[in-house]
Amino acid sequence: AAHAATISDLEGEMTEARAQFETLHSDLAKREAAEISLSAIVERQNQIEGQLKDKIAQLESELEQATTDSNKTRKTLAQRGEAVKAYRVQLEHERTKVENLEAAVARLTDSKFKAEEELSLIRTDASHVATTAELGESQSVWLEVEALQSSLAHLEEANSELRDK
């Protein structure tokens, strides 16, 4: 009976040891699964970090390119602004030239009218002198007629040049 009690005790201990073994085995399996899961999580985290680093590098490159493009655009705009200023100065210079030419045309037109009036007076004087000469005036009258005709020819020539201008 002592052996039976001992066998019964040993069987109880063995059942208890098996239960502990099963519990430990189950815990070990859970731990291995957790380690595998943790390993997968760490690997995924490393992949994500790598992707984030690549994305950050790409964004930094894009930012650098955008900054370069922006600086080029600013430079181009500044150059165009300078060109516009230069064109405005040139335009003002051309306007001044036009105004000066218009004033010169007005002066020439005025001079032309004055020359035409003077020419008309000289023609009248020449006609009067010619009439007087025909009536038998002295030699000096003829000289005066010739001088007036010469002046008339010069004025007609000047008038023609003014018309051409």
Side-chain angles (χ1 to χ4, degrees):
H3 277 338
T6 306
I7 290 175
S8 177
D9 286 340
L10 285 175
E11 284 176 353
E13 286 178 27
M14 201 163 140
T15 302
E16 193 176 314
R18 271 193 189 136
Q20 286 178 350
F21 173 77
E22 292 294 325
T23 302
L24 287 174
H25 188 266
S26 174
D27 288 347
L28 181 61
K30 288 178 184 176
R31 183 175 182 158
E32 285 176 354
E35 286 177 2
I36 291 171
S37 179
L38 181 59
S39 177
I41 290 170
V42 168
E43 185 178 325
R44 181 66 182 139
Q45 183 180 2
N46 289 339
Q47 286 176 347
I48 292 171
E49 283 180 12
Q51 290 172 346
L52 287 175
K53 286 179 183 176
D54 291 345
K55 188 65 175 177
I56 289 169
Q58 178 188 354
L59 290 174
E60 286 174 345
S61 175
E62 289 175 7
L63 176 61
E64 187 176 324
Q65 184 62 44
T67 301
T68 300
D69 292 347
S70 175
N71 289 339
K72 285 180 183 177
T73 301
R74 284 183 187 153
K75 184 178 179 182
T76 300
L77 288 175
Q79 289 171 341
R80 288 182 182 168
E82 291 300 317
V84 167
K85 287 178 187 176
Y87 288 136
R88 285 182 179 157
V89 167
Q90 185 178 359
L91 178 62
E92 191 57 37
H93 179 70
E94 294 299 321
R95 282 183 184 155
T96 302
K97 277 185 179 178
V98 168
E99 289 171 359
N100 290 341
L101 288 173
E102 287 173 343
V105 166
R107 286 191 305 273
L108 287 174
T109 302
D110 188 48
S111 294
K112 175 189 167 199
F113 288 131
K114 287 180 182 177
E116 286 175 348
E117 287 176 6
E118 191 173 330
L119 180 62
S120 177
L121 289 175
I122 289 173
R123 282 184 181 152
T124 301
D125 286 348
S127 176
H128 177 67
V129 169
T131 302
T132 304
E134 286 176 3
L135 294 176
E137 290 286 323
S138 68
Q139 183 67 20
S140 64
V141 170
W142 280 109
L143 292 175
E144 188 177 336
V145 166
E146 288 177 2
L148 285 173
Q149 285 177 340
S150 175
S151 292
L152 176 62
H154 288 301
L155 285 173
E156 285 177 341
E157 187 178 310
N159 187 30
S160 176
E161 288 176 10
L162 284 173
R163 283 186 188 143
D164 291 341
K165 289 182 181 178

